[in-house]
Amino acid sequence: MSTQRTYPIDVASIREDFPILDRHVGGDVTVAGESDGDTEPLVYLDNGATSQTPRQVVDAIVDYYYGYNSNVHRGIHQLSQEASVAYEAAHDRVAEFINAAGREEIVFTKNTTESMNLVAYAWGLEELSPGDSVVTTEMEHHAALVTWQQICKKTGAELRFIRIDGEGRLDMDHAAELIDDSTKMVSAVHISNTLGTINPVSDLCDLAHEHDAYAFIDGAQAVPTRPVDVAAIDADFYAFSGHKMLGPTGIGVLYGKESILESMSPYLYGGEMIRTVTYEESTWEDLPWKFEAGTPVIEQGIALHAAIDYLEDIGMENVQRHEELLAEYAYEELTAHGDVEIYGPPGDDRGGLVAFNLEGVHAHDLSSILNDYAVAIRAGDHCTQPLHDKLGVAASARASFYIYNTTEEIDRLVEAVDAARQLFA
């Protein structure tokens, strides 16, 4: 194995910002944090589920709680005003990051799943009816598939699935057949969290708009890893999560075109999202606040701002190049023996993850063995159970990479897979 690669980013310097990457594992899992039984240096390759968090983001959280912790939009006192300014600035920063028109198009949610549900319930229940169709893909995360499935059952609309080909790419001819004048929504993942497929989302948006339908893009695996321009894509809705892009858990983003969000009713009701209330009627606050009921995700939004600053200091083009380098290297090394099947497109044409199976070894067993070697990966159906059924496997192992990972860590992964191969020989 060759581990001599020239990285497009300063990985060694970046790793210094992530103290967790220095910890050891292998001991008692019921004890949180490193303990005496933890002896093996961690290799963290589960970034598709959750990335790690740099000091700079943690510092932003600490600064909020130690310096100006207060509720937003509800107080005249200084702390509330400072928190409000910081929280609103976070919306502005996200809008700039994905090239939205402004904060009015940026709604903070808990995660991508809640963003999907917000649109499905606030728009779908009102607009869908028998005779309508929602078109999605065979590679969707349950967050999209189950949500639209249930909304279609409630409204009588038809749910259609764009098929994938043998390499795990969308059949765009089939997409053109399915998206017709009955279609009201096209919902597609930007990058598959199982196949690594990078979908032609702009083309899907164009197909939707040709039939006066809306397009919703799930960007949970895309926004953390590459430049995303929602205006260029021309998505009507676009969603992603903070915890996959160096931010904290508990915050997601829903981008929606302002005119569409204006036409939608709120998804949740209560404080913060109202302008006036009488015993008989209520009116709603301006965008985006009418969709952020109750005390919002203040600390998380401020921390997401810091995470975006960190990523942009690196450069999203560089983040993408680094991920592509690691994905291609992992693809080459894992398939060298011929008994590893990797799902999805070739290594030079995928996002920064590889889902795979080792012949004769269940993915859960493989993950357990890798854990013995301190290599943290994912095993299971990755919230894409129908896709795994289509692939003819119950589960797969998934290694996913980020800015702090190295080819040496992929070598550790491959060595652990070799150990599993020998154990089950």
Side-chain angles (χ1 to χ4, degrees):
M1 282 180 274
S2 171
T3 60
Q4 299 302 314
R5 296 287 176 113
T6 300
Y7 301 125
I9 59 179
D10 186 351
V11 179
S13 178
I14 289 170
R15 288 179 67 89
E16 293 176 359
D17 293 330
F18 295 83
I20 197 170
L21 300 179
D22 292 329
R23 76 158 289 182
H24 291 68
V25 295
D28 184 357
V29 298
T30 65
V31 178
E34 188 167 327
S35 59
D36 291 341
D38 294 320
T39 58
E40 295 296 321
L42 171 68
V43 174
Y44 187 80
L45 301 178
D46 193 20
N47 298 285
T50 294
S51 65
Q52 296 302 331
T53 310
R55 298 179 190 272
Q56 292 84 342
V57 174
V58 175
D59 288 345
I61 295 170
V62 172
D63 288 346
Y64 166 71
Y65 282 115
Y66 283 3
Y68 55 102
N69 178 20
S70 183
N71 217 321
V72 297
H73 302 155
R74 299 181 185 183
I76 303 301
H77 61 84
Q78 182 170 342
L79 294 188
S80 178
Q81 293 186 56
E82 290 175 359
S84 297
V85 168
Y87 185 65
E88 292 176 8
H91 287 73
D92 295 336
R93 189 70 176 95
V94 173
E96 178 185 30
F97 186 59
I98 62 172
N99 197 29
R103 72 171 65 161
E104 294 80 9
E105 298 187 328
I106 302 298
V107 179
F108 283 171
T109 63
K110 293 196 302 292
N111 44 45
T112 306
T113 299
E114 186 182 32
S115 297
M116 185 75 66
N117 276 266
L118 190 162
V119 173
Y121 279 87
W123 175 86
L125 285 183
E126 294 292 327
E127 299 296 333
L128 294 173
S129 59
D132 294 335
S133 68
V134 174
V135 177
T136 186
T137 83
E138 291 183 330
M139 65 177 75
E140 294 305 303
H141 190 282
H142 294 166
L145 193 158
V146 176
T147 300
W148 290 119
Q149 178 190 80
Q150 297 305 309
I151 291 296
C152 285
K153 286 184 177 182
K154 291 177 184 294
T155 61
E158 179 187 5
L159 185 60
R160 302 172 177 173
F161 295 92
I162 304 169
R163 61 178 171 247
I164 60 174
D165 65 18
E167 283 194 334
R169 304 179 196 272
L170 285 183
D171 183 338
M172 292 301 290
D173 290 335
H174 190 225
E177 294 175 13
L178 294 185
I179 301 170
D180 58 25
D181 288 343
S182 74
T183 304
K184 302 301 181 186
M185 177 67 76
V186 176
S187 180
V189 65
H190 194 158
I191 299 178
S192 168
N193 73 316
T194 297
L195 301 172
T197 307
I198 304 167
N199 284 322
V201 289
S202 293
D203 294 341
L204 289 169
C205 291
D206 288 344
L207 282 173
H209 297 153
E210 287 173 10
H211 295 277
D212 295 323
Y214 289 148
F216 191 123
I217 305 301
D218 172 357
Q221 300 294 335
V223 171
T225 64
R226 64 203 53 238
V228 169
D229 183 332
V230 292
I233 293 170
D234 200 19
D236 300 291
F237 302 99
Y238 195 104
F240 55 98
S241 298
H243 69 95
K244 298 180 190 293
M245 51 184 293
L246 310 181
T249 57
I251 185 165
V253 173
L254 171 65
Y255 158 80
K257 289 180 178 177
E258 184 176 359
S259 61
I260 303 174
L261 292 177
E262 284 283 9
S263 70
M264 291 164 51
S265 296
Y267 170 49
L268 298 173
Y269 299 92
E272 182 70 16
M273 50 72 64
I274 54 90
R275 175 172 292 170
T276 62
V277 179
T278 69
Y279 286 117
E280 294 77 28
E281 298 290 341
S282 300
T283 62
W284 317 132
E285 189 53 89
D286 292 334
L287 292 173
W289 321 123
K290 82 170 185 178
F291 290 110
E292 296 186 12
T295 296
V297 286
I298 305 168
E299 162 247 300
Q300 293 94 329
I302 293 168
L304 180 59
H305 186 160
I308 290 173
D309 286 346
Y310 189 97
L311 287 169
E312 289 219 315
D313 282 345
I314 297 171
M316 291 309 297
E317 295 86 357
N318 294 326
V319 173
Q320 178 177 349
R321 288 167 55 209
H322 185 67
E323 282 220 339
E324 289 171 345
L325 182 154
L326 295 177
E328 183 173 2
Y329 183 75
Y331 192 100
E332 293 171 354
E333 296 298 331
L334 283 169
T335 56
H337 284 274
D339 57 356
V340 170
E341 182 176 8
I342 294 180
Y343 306 103
D348 60 351
D349 189 22
R350 59 168 48 238
L353 61 89
V354 288
F356 64 97
N357 273 310
L358 174 63
E359 184 177 342
V361 183
H362 192 283
H364 290 157
D365 294 331
L366 180 60
S367 179
S368 179
I369 294 169
L370 265 58
N371 184 64
D372 292 339
Y373 285 81
V375 178
I377 65 163
R378 200 71 154 188
D381 60 32
H382 319 308
C383 293
T384 56
Q385 187 173 340
L387 174 60
H388 277 75
D389 291 342
K390 183 177 180 64
L391 295 172
V393 295
S396 62
R398 185 186 70 188
S400 47
F401 318 113
Y402 211 28
I403 54 175
Y404 36 68
N405 290 129
T406 66
T407 53
E408 288 84 358
E409 289 183 313
I410 294 173
D411 290 342
R412 289 269 304 278
L413 165 69
V414 174
E415 290 166 4
V417 171
D418 287 342
R421 179 182 291 111
Q422 295 169 18
L423 181 63
F424 282 86

